[in-house]
Amino acid sequence: MIPELGHFALALAVAIAAAQAVLPLLGAHRRDARMMAAAPALAVGHLVALAASFGCLMWSAVVDDFSVFNVAENSSSSEPLIYKITGTWGNHEGSILLWCLILACCGAAVAAFGRNLPSALRARVIGVLGFTSAGFLLYALTVSNPFLRVWPPPIDGQNINPLLQDPGLAMHPPVLYAGYVGFAIPFAFAVAALIEGRVDAAWGRWVRPWALGAWCLLTGGIALGSWWAYYELGWGGFWFWDPVENASLLPWLTGTALLHSAIVVEKREALKTWTILLAIGTFSLSLCGTFMVRSGILNSVHAFASDPTRGVFILVLLALVIGGSLLLFALRAPSLAASGIFAPVSREGALVLNNVLLCSVAAVVLTGTAYPMFAALVFDAKLSVGPPYFHMTVVPLLVPLFAAMSVGPTLAWKRADLLPGLLRLWWAALLAALVGLATAAGLRDAFAAAGFAASAWLIAGAFAELTERVRLFRIPIAATWARAVSQPLAVWGAAIAHAGMGVTVAGIAGMSLSASTIVSVRPGETVAFGGYDWTLAGIHTQPGSNYTARVADLRVMRDGRQVVLFHPSRHSFTRQQQTISDTAIQTNLIRDLYAVMGDERDGQVVLRLHVNLLAPWIWLGALVMAAGGGLSLADRRLRVGAPARRAAVAVPARV
Amino acid sequence: MDATTRRRLIMLAPLGIAAAAGGGFWGLLLRMQEGTYDPHSLPSMLVGKRLPEFSLPGQPPSEGFSSADIIRSGRPALVNFFASWCVPCIQEAPVLMQLKQQGVPIWGIAYKDKADAAAGFLQQHGDPYVRVARDEPGRVAIDFGLYGVPETYVLDRQGVVRMRWAGGMSDDVVRDSLAPMLKSLA
Amino acid sequence: MTRLLLVLVALIALAGSAQAVSDPGEMLRDPTMERRAEAIGEQLRCLVCQNESVEQSDADLAKDLRRIIRQRVTAGDTDRQVTDWMVARYGDFIRLRPPVDLETLLLWGAPVIALAVAGGSVAIGWRRRARAPEPLSSAERRRLADLLE
């Protein structure tokens, strides 16, 4: 009964989405106020129907209804409850439904929070979102239906891949998809603006919070995925430049460019074409990422369904959405009003440079990811593009980008002198040079030293503009403090986000120095490694709900004091005949102790031990970036259409 | 070309690139359905080259054989790598038996298998091989460029590799690829 | 502080990279040769679990390939020779760093091409905006003067 209800709700959602697509756009075209006013209601109705549908699917998994094919394929009765719930999106059909659900949330969010938008624009935005939703929902309803039944129902489900039974991986899809799909809103804004034929400062202001929100979520999603790979897969790395990883990085790169470009549209009504193209491009890259993963044409172990017929449907969908929006761009963009003028050396100029560099990095990553397919198609050659390629091509582009990240905010709008800005950064440059030289001399590793220097430059430089604004050390501390707390949140947000990037760079530089070894030990034996003493206290067997585990008790000591007693283990999942290693990690936020258990032979067990320097900073940095973004989002000037009227503060005028 | 037209053309560029990419993906999807594109499969480096030199011990009760033995036979032949722990090998066994009945000489190599396990496999699923050798260390397989089991190599009279099929042999594959190839080599 | 530095130095001395958990016995005794072997292995793709390097993967084939790499390094082959040996059997696909030849021109040229295209479009936009209007002819100036009166 419940699956039928879910199926019905899904069909209902398709119908409402179709209405959401047609009515508001028609209304905006005819300036029919009633039709335009229907938009928010339709968006909310669409969300309710789809949420009900998703709820029914989740319920079927929770109550072990194996007559639903999706549940029979991917769940099992012995699975812990939490993974039954999160397993709803751990498979192809469920994840598409999740994608649609988040898209519906986007429409409802614009309906709820976009009350200050002019009704025509809001109607068009909701309409475009409706179009996209209707397409994906139709896909879900027809070729990717999660509510298909199987009769007679099997006694038990086949259980999902044991790798998916993990908290980090369970949360990775919702957060990541929220980021991916979140960029549909700026996309809808861009298309709506092209339809209207007008891009102005107000549009820039309205788009920014949505782009910022999606960006924060995407940053979190990518970080979660990378962190999961680190602690779960046990190879000691955190990024392989696998096609699916790159598919998430691409929209992040262009999304970052979009974020910054929109600022220029808002402040100076310039860079309109760039911003519109970036908004369309970011969501297009999100969509392409989905297609590549689900179609099977990618060589990646991440890929779910390898069904070419599904691939065809998605390709048609993509052609309509991306092709349609780019066609609209080609037709309407030339007639966008001419942009504001600015000198090459100015904040706009710096943001143009930022756009150019970020888009170049994105182009390189895209080329590397798509090249094996291109070579197969054109040259009939079989080659592979792995991490070495990306390191050699992306890193040189990052150097000018990092340099500009700290210099850019010090430049004034319209026309600036480079020298005063650079001089203000003298202490950041000095710090970077010192850190670089110290680490180069001490560690004798040029790459890591460069990384640490870049990190110092980014973190110190991030606060350069702030220290200037609060006149740090030039006026009394009390006055500095007063200025600091009265700074708009967006200024703090930007500084913190840029500093977060620096933290991540430091983490990556530290990881490049990590040490590892493989040892074969008997219980009771001790190995000295990395400045610690690792003792295998014992090995024992531990049964689990759907697995049996062999657990090693590993004690790590330093100077006679115990640092940690942790338990790397190997879980054998009897049903799928798979064994996976459960890595043991202990962190003090400066270094990670990392142990993986291997085979046992003749009473000895093989262990791989790592000491990873600054590893947690990689993901902490991402958290800081997202926090900075969130802080900017909290700035009232962004959320409210008009600038907030603030009480007068007695602060001397800025000269 | 005046400035406005040039500008219009530049704005058309993103659509053009997207269309080209879309066309490319379409082409790949079609090829995937045909079977000519598989992102995970490897083309064999041996096709067009003489098979690598090797000499392997026998899987009892069979005698071992060497690359010279195969070439000396002077007939088109198949070399098939299998293992008792490999599920697709079980599925392809009847197909290989049928090929044996049709008179196709198949030289078998047990890859990374214990002698008694391999013997049990042959007993249970049939022995379609002219001779069976053992490659327990797996080095000869690497010289062939093997990356999984089962794999089947089609050789002509001179011992030059003409085709490699990675994965289980099925009736469809025999009909569509193998039989025509063997016919052309006869 | 000194202790931290000592730990860091110890780490660098042992600096390695991600490896698969397999047999410690397969590691070479000579650390320089072992490091070379690891470096070569990291540049090769494991063909079974195709998103790991030969050095990282736990697959049987990867273990065999690691053993072969170490044998050849000990026998005196250069890095290039070991890689070529692998490519002769498995093709360019096994290389994680694609070769630089005519077929990969677009690939390796991507950073330069991307910068050129992006920079070029910026430059075009610049020229368009910076184009000053042509100075008025004398007839146009007279007409302007008339209009302004």
Side-chain angles (χ1 to χ4, degrees), chain A residues 470-487:
Chain A
V470 303
R471 302 273 197 277
L472 192 61
F473 301 139
R474 282 194 273 164
I475 58 179
I477 283 289
T480 296
W481 181 253
R483 282 187 176 226
V485 297
S486 71
Q487 290 300 317

Side-chain angles (χ1 to χ4, degrees), chain A residues 335-354:
Chain A
S335 57
L336 288 176
S339 350
I341 304 186
F342 54 87
V345 178
S346 60
R347 196 173 299 191
E348 296 98 315
L351 287 171
V352 168
L353 179 66
N354 167 74

